[in-house]
Amino acid sequence: MDLDVVNMFVITGGMLAIPILAFVALFFLWPSVLIKIYYRYRRRALGMQVHYVRLKDYQFCYSFRGKPGHKPSILMLHEFSRRKDMWLCLIKFLPKNLHLVCVDMPGHGGTTCSSLDDLSIEGQVKRIHQFVKYLKLNKKPFHLIGSCMGGCVVGLYSAYYPSDIGSLTLVSPFGLQYSNDNQFMQRLKELQNSSSSTHPP
């Protein structure tokens, strides 16, 4: 075989091996880098932009798409130990002409995390209200969406600042207490009790 052909195969193999080895190294050694690259790509594909807001000694990180218009803006609050990017899988189904804002909750993601900060639900409601006022989202009633911890914050926010809210969506809100069980919960308890009585420890 000609030496030039061998050299061409070696060079081509080396060029293919370098990105594959880089990907494998990132996957096993620094998976968080791959996750950041993925989220950056998803945000860009969906037209979301990331911005930071500084309020005195406190910083909020948020992503947004669109501008306020005649339709209500939408503010999305994520679950505990997640970040604003958890909403990307939902955003792809929303119309592009809506003004969407996804914020990193206090103590999460790119938003300030301080041991001095009040991270109770009430404390987070106050911080989110500061963020809302700064962005002027409450110039007219907006739609507020929250999941789990974010759902609890949404519920309390609507109680504290009802004039800000046009509508709410609570997805599995944390902290809601039910005075009595619905039929589904009663049936689950019956099944749990029957399985524990048939299978003693």
PDB file of all heavy atoms in Angstrom, residues 153-171:
ATOM      1  N   VAL A 153     -44.888  28.609  46.186  1.00  0.00           N
ATOM      2  CA  VAL A 153     -44.574  30.042  46.105  1.00  0.00           C
ATOM      3  C   VAL A 153     -45.650  30.772  45.300  1.00  0.00           C
ATOM      4  O   VAL A 153     -46.096  31.860  45.676  1.00  0.00           O
ATOM      5  CB  VAL A 153     -43.165  30.265  45.509  1.00  0.00           C
ATOM      6  CG1 VAL A 153     -42.911  31.741  45.231  1.00  0.00           C
ATOM      7  CG2 VAL A 153     -42.096  29.703  46.434  1.00  0.00           C
ATOM      8  N   VAL A 154     -46.089  30.162  44.198  1.00  0.00           N
ATOM      9  CA  VAL A 154     -47.138  30.757  43.354  1.00  0.00           C
ATOM     10  C   VAL A 154     -48.416  30.961  44.156  1.00  0.00           C
ATOM     11  O   VAL A 154     -49.039  32.021  44.107  1.00  0.00           O
ATOM     12  CB  VAL A 154     -47.405  29.860  42.119  1.00  0.00           C
ATOM     13  CG1 VAL A 154     -48.723  30.214  41.462  1.00  0.00           C
ATOM     14  CG2 VAL A 154     -46.275  29.984  41.122  1.00  0.00           C
ATOM     15  N   GLY A 155     -48.817  29.923  44.907  1.00  0.00           N
ATOM     16  CA  GLY A 155     -50.045  30.028  45.701  1.00  0.00           C
ATOM     17  C   GLY A 155     -49.972  31.146  46.720  1.00  0.00           C
ATOM     18  O   GLY A 155     -50.908  31.940  46.867  1.00  0.00           O
ATOM     19  N   LEU A 156     -48.850  31.225  47.430  1.00  0.00           N
ATOM     20  CA  LEU A 156     -48.699  32.265  48.447  1.00  0.00           C
ATOM     21  C   LEU A 156     -48.544  33.648  47.815  1.00  0.00           C
ATOM     22  O   LEU A 156     -49.064  34.634  48.334  1.00  0.00           O
ATOM     23  CB  LEU A 156     -47.497  31.945  49.346  1.00  0.00           C
ATOM     24  CG  LEU A 156     -47.465  32.648  50.687  1.00  0.00           C
ATOM     25  CD1 LEU A 156     -48.737  32.371  51.493  1.00  0.00           C
ATOM     26  CD2 LEU A 156     -46.242  32.210  51.477  1.00  0.00           C
ATOM     27  N   TYR A 157     -47.841  33.715  46.671  1.00  0.00           N
ATOM     28  CA  TYR A 157     -47.697  34.987  45.964  1.00  0.00           C
ATOM     29  C   TYR A 157     -49.073  35.547  45.602  1.00  0.00           C
ATOM     30  O   TYR A 157     -49.334  36.737  45.767  1.00  0.00           O
ATOM     31  CB  TYR A 157     -46.842  34.805  44.706  1.00  0.00           C
ATOM     32  CG  TYR A 157     -46.487  36.104  44.018  1.00  0.00           C
ATOM     33  CD1 TYR A 157     -45.232  36.665  44.190  1.00  0.00           C
ATOM     34  CD2 TYR A 157     -47.397  36.775  43.210  1.00  0.00           C
ATOM     35  CE1 TYR A 157     -44.894  37.864  43.575  1.00  0.00           C
ATOM     36  CE2 TYR A 157     -47.078  37.959  42.589  1.00  0.00           C
ATOM     37  CZ  TYR A 157     -45.822  38.499  42.786  1.00  0.00           C
ATOM     38  OH  TYR A 157     -45.499  39.696  42.179  1.00  0.00           O
ATOM     39  N   SER A 158     -49.947  34.664  45.106  1.00  0.00           N
ATOM     40  CA  SER A 158     -51.275  35.127  44.703  1.00  0.00           C
ATOM     41  C   SER A 158     -52.096  35.606  45.898  1.00  0.00           C
ATOM     42  O   SER A 158     -52.956  36.474  45.756  1.00  0.00           O
ATOM     43  CB  SER A 158     -52.021  34.032  43.955  1.00  0.00           C
ATOM     44  OG  SER A 158     -52.299  32.948  44.817  1.00  0.00           O
ATOM     45  N   ALA A 159     -51.806  35.049  47.086  1.00  0.00           N
ATOM     46  CA  ALA A 159     -52.505  35.512  48.289  1.00  0.00           C
ATOM     47  C   ALA A 159     -51.962  36.864  48.750  1.00  0.00           C
ATOM     48  O   ALA A 159     -52.727  37.724  49.193  1.00  0.00           O
ATOM     49  CB  ALA A 159     -52.362  34.478  49.402  1.00  0.00           C
ATOM     50  N   TYR A 160     -50.652  37.063  48.650  1.00  0.00           N
ATOM     51  CA  TYR A 160     -50.026  38.321  49.084  1.00  0.00           C
ATOM     52  C   TYR A 160     -50.244  39.460  48.085  1.00  0.00           C
ATOM     53  O   TYR A 160     -50.401  40.605  48.475  1.00  0.00           O
ATOM     54  CB  TYR A 160     -48.524  38.134  49.282  1.00  0.00           C
ATOM     55  CG  TYR A 160     -48.106  37.445  50.564  1.00  0.00           C
ATOM     56  CD1 TYR A 160     -49.023  36.860  51.428  1.00  0.00           C
ATOM     57  CD2 TYR A 160     -46.766  37.374  50.904  1.00  0.00           C
ATOM     58  CE1 TYR A 160     -48.631  36.226  52.594  1.00  0.00           C
ATOM     59  CE2 TYR A 160     -46.364  36.738  52.075  1.00  0.00           C
ATOM     60  CZ  TYR A 160     -47.303  36.175  52.905  1.00  0.00           C
ATOM     61  OH  TYR A 160     -46.902  35.553  54.061  1.00  0.00           O
ATOM     62  N   TYR A 161     -50.197  39.143  46.801  1.00  0.00           N
ATOM     63  CA  TYR A 161     -50.250  40.178  45.765  1.00  0.00           C
ATOM     64  C   TYR A 161     -51.312  39.830  44.724  1.00  0.00           C
ATOM     65  O   TYR A 161     -51.003  39.626  43.540  1.00  0.00           O
ATOM     66  CB  TYR A 161     -48.879  40.340  45.095  1.00  0.00           C
ATOM     67  CG  TYR A 161     -47.749  40.509  46.078  1.00  0.00           C
ATOM     68  CD1 TYR A 161     -46.880  39.453  46.352  1.00  0.00           C
ATOM     69  CD2 TYR A 161     -47.562  41.707  46.753  1.00  0.00           C
ATOM     70  CE1 TYR A 161     -45.841  39.594  47.255  1.00  0.00           C
ATOM     71  CE2 TYR A 161     -46.526  41.868  47.662  1.00  0.00           C
ATOM     72  CZ  TYR A 161     -45.672  40.800  47.910  1.00  0.00           C
ATOM     73  OH  TYR A 161     -44.645  40.946  48.811  1.00  0.00           O
ATOM     74  N   PRO A 162     -52.579  39.755  45.111  1.00  0.00           N
ATOM     75  CA  PRO A 162     -53.625  39.298  44.175  1.00  0.00           C
ATOM     76  C   PRO A 162     -53.804  40.209  42.958  1.00  0.00           C
ATOM     77  O   PRO A 162     -54.189  39.737  41.885  1.00  0.00           O
ATOM     78  CB  PRO A 162     -54.888  39.272  45.037  1.00  0.00           C
ATOM     79  CG  PRO A 162     -54.604  40.155  46.199  1.00  0.00           C
ATOM     80  CD  PRO A 162     -53.126  40.090  46.427  1.00  0.00           C
ATOM     81  N   SER A 163     -53.507  41.496  43.095  1.00  0.00           N
ATOM     82  CA  SER A 163     -53.707  42.403  41.958  1.00  0.00           C
ATOM     83  C   SER A 163     -52.679  42.165  40.851  1.00  0.00           C
ATOM     84  O   SER A 163     -52.884  42.588  39.715  1.00  0.00           O
ATOM     85  CB  SER A 163     -53.642  43.857  42.423  1.00  0.00           C
ATOM     86  OG  SER A 163     -52.370  44.130  42.982  1.00  0.00           O
ATOM     87  N   ASP A 164     -51.564  41.485  41.169  1.00  0.00           N
ATOM     88  CA  ASP A 164     -50.546  41.190  40.149  1.00  0.00           C
ATOM     89  C   ASP A 164     -50.973  40.060  39.220  1.00  0.00           C
ATOM     90  O   ASP A 164     -50.474  39.953  38.105  1.00  0.00           O
ATOM     91  CB  ASP A 164     -49.224  40.753  40.811  1.00  0.00           C
ATOM     92  CG  ASP A 164     -48.484  41.907  41.481  1.00  0.00           C
ATOM     93  OD1 ASP A 164     -49.006  43.031  41.483  1.00  0.00           O
ATOM     94  OD2 ASP A 164     -47.383  41.658  41.991  1.00  0.00           O
ATOM     95  N   ILE A 165     -51.866  39.203  39.705  1.00  0.00           N
ATOM     96  CA  ILE A 165     -52.112  37.918  39.061  1.00  0.00           C
ATOM     97  C   ILE A 165     -53.359  37.947  38.189  1.00  0.00           C
ATOM     98  O   ILE A 165     -54.424  38.341  38.626  1.00  0.00           O
ATOM     99  CB  ILE A 165     -52.250  36.809  40.126  1.00  0.00           C
ATOM    100  CG1 ILE A 165     -51.044  36.789  41.054  1.00  0.00           C
ATOM    101  CG2 ILE A 165     -52.465  35.449  39.473  1.00  0.00           C
ATOM    102  CD1 ILE A 165     -49.736  36.526  40.370  1.00  0.00           C
ATOM    103  N   GLY A 166     -53.210  37.467  36.940  1.00  0.00           N
ATOM    104  CA  GLY A 166     -54.357  37.276  36.074  1.00  0.00           C
ATOM    105  C   GLY A 166     -54.868  35.857  36.177  1.00  0.00           C
ATOM    106  O   GLY A 166     -56.071  35.614  36.204  1.00  0.00           O
ATOM    107  N   SER A 167     -53.953  34.909  36.262  1.00  0.00           N
ATOM    108  CA  SER A 167     -54.317  33.497  36.400  1.00  0.00           C
ATOM    109  C   SER A 167     -53.118  32.718  36.928  1.00  0.00           C
ATOM    110  O   SER A 167     -51.984  33.201  36.894  1.00  0.00           O
ATOM    111  CB  SER A 167     -54.773  32.920  35.059  1.00  0.00           C
ATOM    112  OG  SER A 167     -53.768  33.098  34.084  1.00  0.00           O
ATOM    113  N   LEU A 168     -53.400  31.515  37.427  1.00  0.00           N
ATOM    114  CA  LEU A 168     -52.372  30.662  38.041  1.00  0.00           C
ATOM    115  C   LEU A 168     -52.402  29.276  37.434  1.00  0.00           C
ATOM    116  O   LEU A 168     -53.453  28.787  37.032  1.00  0.00           O
ATOM    117  CB  LEU A 168     -52.634  30.479  39.540  1.00  0.00           C
ATOM    118  CG  LEU A 168     -52.679  31.685  40.449  1.00  0.00           C
ATOM    119  CD1 LEU A 168     -53.090  31.243  41.846  1.00  0.00           C
ATOM    120  CD2 LEU A 168     -51.329  32.353  40.496  1.00  0.00           C
ATOM    121  N   THR A 169     -51.238  28.628  37.436  1.00  0.00           N
ATOM    122  CA  THR A 169     -51.143  27.198  37.150  1.00  0.00           C
ATOM    123  C   THR A 169     -50.225  26.606  38.202  1.00  0.00           C
ATOM    124  O   THR A 169     -49.062  26.999  38.299  1.00  0.00           O
ATOM    125  CB  THR A 169     -50.571  26.924  35.746  1.00  0.00           C
ATOM    126  OG1 THR A 169     -51.397  27.551  34.771  1.00  0.00           O
ATOM    127  CG2 THR A 169     -50.492  25.434  35.481  1.00  0.00           C
ATOM    128  N   LEU A 170     -50.756  25.688  39.003  1.00  0.00           N
ATOM    129  CA  LEU A 170     -49.965  25.018  40.031  1.00  0.00           C
ATOM    130  C   LEU A 170     -49.808  23.562  39.629  1.00  0.00           C
ATOM    131  O   LEU A 170     -50.793  22.853  39.449  1.00  0.00           O
ATOM    132  CB  LEU A 170     -50.648  25.101  41.403  1.00  0.00           C
ATOM    133  CG  LEU A 170     -50.570  26.454  42.109  1.00  0.00           C
ATOM    134  CD1 LEU A 170     -51.505  27.450  41.486  1.00  0.00           C
ATOM    135  CD2 LEU A 170     -50.888  26.287  43.569  1.00  0.00           C
ATOM    136  N   VAL A 171     -48.565  23.113  39.465  1.00  0.00           N
ATOM    137  CA  VAL A 171     -48.273  21.740  39.075  1.00  0.00           C
ATOM    138  C   VAL A 171     -47.697  21.022  40.291  1.00  0.00           C
ATOM    139  O   VAL A 171     -46.604  21.345  40.743  1.00  0.00           O
ATOM    140  CB  VAL A 171     -47.259  21.691  37.902  1.00  0.00           C
ATOM    141  CG1 VAL A 171     -46.999  20.258  37.480  1.00  0.00           C
ATOM    142  CG2 VAL A 171     -47.728  22.545  36.741  1.00  0.00           C
TER     143      VAL A 171
END
